Amino acid sequence: MKPELPLEVYSPDLGNPNDPASIAVDRLNREQAAQELARLAATIAYHDRLYFQEDAPEISDADYDALVVRNRQIEARFPDLRRLDSPSKRVGAPVSKGFKKVKHRVPMLSLENAFTLEDVTNFFERVGRFLSLAPAQTFAVVAEPKIDGLSAALHYQNGKLRLAATRGDGSEGEDITANVRQIATVPQVLQGKNIPESLEVRGEIYMNRSDFFNLNHQRVQEGEAEFANPRNAAAGSVRQLDASVTARRPLRFFAYYYEAISGDTTTTHHECLQNLENWGFSVASEIRLCQSLAELAEFYTEMNGKRADLAYDIDGVVYKVDELAWQRRLGSVGRTPRYAVAHKFEAEKAETILEEINIQVGRTGVLTPVARLKPVTVGGVVVSRATLHNADEIDRKDVRAGDHVIIQRAGDVIPQVVSVVLNKRSAASKEFVFPNCCPACGGEVVQIPGEVARRCMNRLLCPAQAVEHLRHFVSRDAFDIEGLGIRHIEAFYQDKLIQSPVDIFTLEERDKVSLTPLRAREGWGSQSANNLFEAINERRTISLDRFIYALGILQIGSVTAKLLAKHYRTLPVLVEAMQQAQDPTSDAYRDLLNLDGIGESMAEDLLSFFHEPHNLAVIHKLQDQLLIPEFIIETAAESVLSHKTIVFTGTLEKMSRAEAKATAERLGAKVAGSVSKKTNFVVVGADAGSKAKAAAELGVEVLTEEQWMEICNGLVKK
Ligand code: IVH
């Protein structure tokens, strides 16, 4: 049963031209406007509750914003019809602030997903290759259930719980100590032997299914909204500012690994789990030490069968290399460790009606068709939209408005339309015609040869792209400005307050002399305006990698942005190098392509970005507003390898090329693909060819694999 679902939420008959919800704002009469304001107030309140309290949004931010904007436009035409419960009074209200931020000493990573046995085989083989294991060598892997809750880090000092934090963005979470102290299965004081003096236990906060049903039952009796599923219930309960509310919620905690800061001699993951149990933690009971892929596959099948009988929700199983020394060697790439993988269960499916196909315009102008669905519950969550990917996909599946469709949802993945139930199709249904002009700006839509996507070519002149560009600029891995969410971005864009990234940083200055300052806007006050200015000012100092990522250059994600920041170190050096590299015969161009991780197509996108005068002007204006310090590579300590450029050549016998590269980077070095006068060391394996020769000619220091291993063994922390 849905939480207090107001009838108006899904009732608009958008196909009916007489339904007020289908009528453009400037054509609504008074009566229709009043009806629409009532519907919008109920609908927005409903989505606010799902978003802020249940942690279970049903619609995208863009769709939510469209409702808010429509409400505001109608109110502007009929100010006297504004309702006492108008949503415009609430927009800009502070979002669950109040928890202190906690920086994670060691980042809280997430897991790469595997959906098929082939993906798992690839994971297995990758591990073997990285560690240079013999092809037939087997190794121990621990298989565990993947609990569907929210992860937390618990810090113990001398066996006493001192701090608990959410994962947050992986680098920084929220201090939830007071709430975690209320969870019965979290030991306040550890028991048993060999407890490390300083210990960080990580695990999942979750709710048993039966407790979740009881809680919802009780909430209905008390006239409160139900939670959509146990995970949302657990997340909503942990996020309570009042810990006495958390105390009344039946939360539990499973520990799944720990980081000992000192004094631990355990060498395998399965022993760690044993230690956790001995110290008083709950550890999931269905855990198995496997020796082969076949054993993992068996575990997966068994767990899939048992899934419904377990007391708690799981959405897959997790495989972790057992040897801790190997885990350390494998390290991580981006936000995921190389030593573990999540093998997800098959997506849950449901049938519903596809009401309409809408087109969304993304940051890079790509037009994405999105299915608006008759809301349906899939795996405990109400789904009302699903992606259709692109025009080819619509053609291939022959999806049409009005069709009965099968949709699926896998974990956090956006719901997808799997297929059409053809025998339920109406004879009157019509094939979908992909628009040839942009729905946001009317601009020409082009299909670039070799690409499936169709794009609007109006770039920042297209309001949808400009808004998405701004949204990317302030997003989590970019400027991460608290309180400047998509709703504000869109409203500020429409009102011409923020149209380009630099406007964010001049907002306060302009606001001081504005006749309509922010504090006087609907839903804002002095406090919320000052909070926003403060959040913006906090980001005037930004690291180079975040800055590069924020620029939104095609193909340049946060990993590549970091690579560029590491290599060029400062913004002026990067800009200068990109200018010089416009000439494909230049050293700068060779230098760019020589970066391990930058291919020709990426280089092309980078260079065309830096070729565009408009982009350079934006960068220069931003430079006036910001402080971008020289990029410092975080290494344990300065070492003989810090800031050095290394080239590997020939076959390494003790370490795979991937491990050698990862180790060098961890020690502060850069790895290049070819030898130049900037190379500091060439590590020569067996059968080295021209690169060893080039090193000799250029007088670059050559290391044997043994010498390289010696340097590493001396520097890598055990
Ligand atoms: S290990 C670096 N083990 O899944 C290892 N995670 O999709 C990271 N999760 O953020 C976590 N059960 O919240 C691990 N047995 C388990 C897990 C588990 C659930 C969650 C965890 C993590 C997410 C990644």
Side-chain angles (χ1 to χ4, degrees), residues 517-539:
L518 199 54
R519 63 176 183 280
R521 281 171 75 95
E522 283 296 340
W524 289 83
S526 299
Q527 182 67 38
S528 49
N530 285 340
N531 286 349
L532 178 62
F533 296 142
E534 210 175 286
I536 293 173
N537 288 334
E538 265 178 29
R539 292 292 188 258

Side-chain angles (χ1 to χ4, degrees), residues 109-111 144-147 151 167 204 256 318 320 337 339:
L109 302 176
S110 75
L111 293 166
E144 311 173 0
K146 184 170 185 302
I147 324 290
S151 50
R167 177 173 181 274
E204 202 82 351
Y256 46 64
V318 184
K320 298 174 185 167
Y339 60 80

Side-chain angles (χ1 to χ4, degrees), residues 181-236:
R181 287 196 192 283
Q182 311 301 329
I183 303 178
T185 47
V186 169
Q188 304 289 315
V189 179
L190 303 183
Q191 60 195 39
K193 287 191 264 176
N194 301 330
I195 300 168
E197 187 184 311
S198 187
L199 174 75
E200 183 177 339
V201 175
R202 293 185 175 175
E204 202 82 351
I205 299 177
Y206 69 98
M207 203 178 274
N208 268 355
R209 226 172 295 132
S210 57
D211 289 334
F212 157 76
F213 287 125
N214 290 340
L215 174 67
N216 263 355
H217 179 71
Q218 187 189 329
R219 284 172 72 84
V220 171
Q221 311 254 301
E222 289 165 5
E224 288 194 75
E226 286 180 296
F227 288 112
N229 53 38
R231 171 158 48 100
N232 293 137

Side-chain angles (χ1 to χ4, degrees), residues 29-57:
N29 64 31
R30 256 185 96 70
E31 195 188 326
Q32 290 164 330
Q35 265 181 39
E36 262 301 81
L37 288 177
R39 179 186 75 88
L40 288 164
T43 308
I44 293 169
Y46 169 72
H47 290 300
D48 277 348
R49 212 162 43 239
L50 288 176
Y51 185 88
F52 292 116
Q53 292 167 24
E54 263 66 66
D55 244 337

